[in-house]
Amino acid sequence: DIFLDLHIDDDFDIKMNKYEFERIIDNTLSNAIKHSFEDTTVDIFIEDKKIKVQNFGHEIKSSDNIFKAFHQDDNEKGLGLGLNIIKEICEKYDISIKLNVNEKNTEFSYDFSKIAIG
């Protein structure tokens, strides 16, 4: 029982491969949902040519290594490649990534300013 809440304050277009954009969004949302506590909300903010995804759940234990290939926190399922792929896509398009972590929530923020149109 995870709820999604979309907050749109800004409408903008970006110039990038659709599949790569979907990879960023899909992986970020699926991770946020997977790591959220039950009965909480995943907030998605679109503002100032940025997309931010915030969840309330399990703390990321090793945020310094999170974008490395095959990295996983304890008891993780999967290959540990999703965030590494996101990092590579963001580097390709000069999209900056910010990660804010504390003991109750995690926020991934992607700044599309350099590839935004209009």
Side-chain angles (χ1 to χ4, degrees):
D1 292 325
I2 306 296
F3 305 94
L4 299 177
D5 197 0
L6 180 60
H7 312 269
I8 302 175
D9 292 336
D10 191 13
D11 186 15
F12 62 94
D13 295 317
I14 57 174
K15 187 174 181 174
M16 71 181 292
N17 178 281
K18 178 182 173 181
Y19 174 74
E20 290 172 319
F21 177 74
E22 288 174 357
R23 289 293 301 258
I24 292 171
I25 301 304
D26 179 63
N27 188 277
T28 303
L29 285 176
S30 63
N31 281 344
I33 292 166
K34 180 170 54 171
H35 295 288
S36 290
F37 295 132
E38 282 189 35
D39 297 319
T40 60
T41 300
V42 173
D43 290 298
I44 304 141
F45 299 91
I46 300 174
E47 57 191 8
D48 299 325
K49 297 183 173 86
K50 295 179 182 129
I51 296 176
K52 296 186 284 184
V53 176
Q54 183 180 64
N55 74 305
F56 300 89
H58 307 287
E59 183 179 4
I60 296 172
K61 296 176 183 160
S62 55
S63 59
D64 293 340
N65 297 318
I66 196 165
F67 292 102
K68 291 182 180 177
F70 306 108
H71 172 77
Q72 296 179 344
D73 276 344
D74 298 335
N75 301 319
E76 287 294 311
K77 293 181 180 178
L79 299 174
L81 293 173
L83 290 175
N84 181 258
I85 292 169
I86 285 177
K87 181 181 176 208
E88 289 177 4
I89 293 169
C90 288
E91 287 174 350
K92 175 181 176 181
Y93 289 97
D94 205 12
I95 301 165
S96 65
I97 306 171
K98 287 187 182 173
L99 172 62
N100 293 314
V101 179
N102 63 46
E103 55 194 41
K104 291 194 177 179
N105 69 34
T106 300
E107 179 182 278
F108 281 86
S109 177
Y110 303 95
D111 187 341
F112 293 89
S113 297
K114 294 183 180 178
I115 61 170
I117 301 168

